[in-house]
Amino acid sequence: MTETTGPPAEALHPNPNTDGLTDEQRRGGACTYCGGPLATGTAVDLGERRDSDGVRVFPRACPACAERCAS
């Protein structure tokens, strides 16, 4: 198993209001930022979050959006 170090994904990738995400974005099947479909092998996990109702959300991003939002 590979161990990663550094700040958590939440710190590198600020997330838009999770209340405004589609069901597909909330479960990690579509990019949180652009809404495009995600491939399992290339999606960037943004870390589990909670929406305003306390429901767990699992946002992910496409590589292009993740790079743009992290810089």
Side-chain angles (χ1 to χ4, degrees):
M1 172 163 55
T2 303
E3 186 175 323
T4 59
T5 59
E10 296 88 351
L12 294 174
H13 300 284
N15 202 35
N17 181 358
T18 56
D19 294 332
L21 298 178
T22 66
D23 287 342
E24 194 72 4
Q25 288 169 310
R26 294 167 64 81
R27 71 169 189 80
C31 178
T32 298
Y33 301 106
C34 72
L38 295 172
T40 302
T42 59
V44 178
D45 184 2
L46 301 179
E48 180 181 325
R49 317 276 172 113
R50 294 213 180 245
D51 69 12
S52 61
D53 293 330
V55 176
R56 295 184 336 183
V57 179
F58 303 92
R60 298 191 309 162
C62 65
C65 286
E67 184 175 332
R68 184 177 62 251
C69 293
S71 49

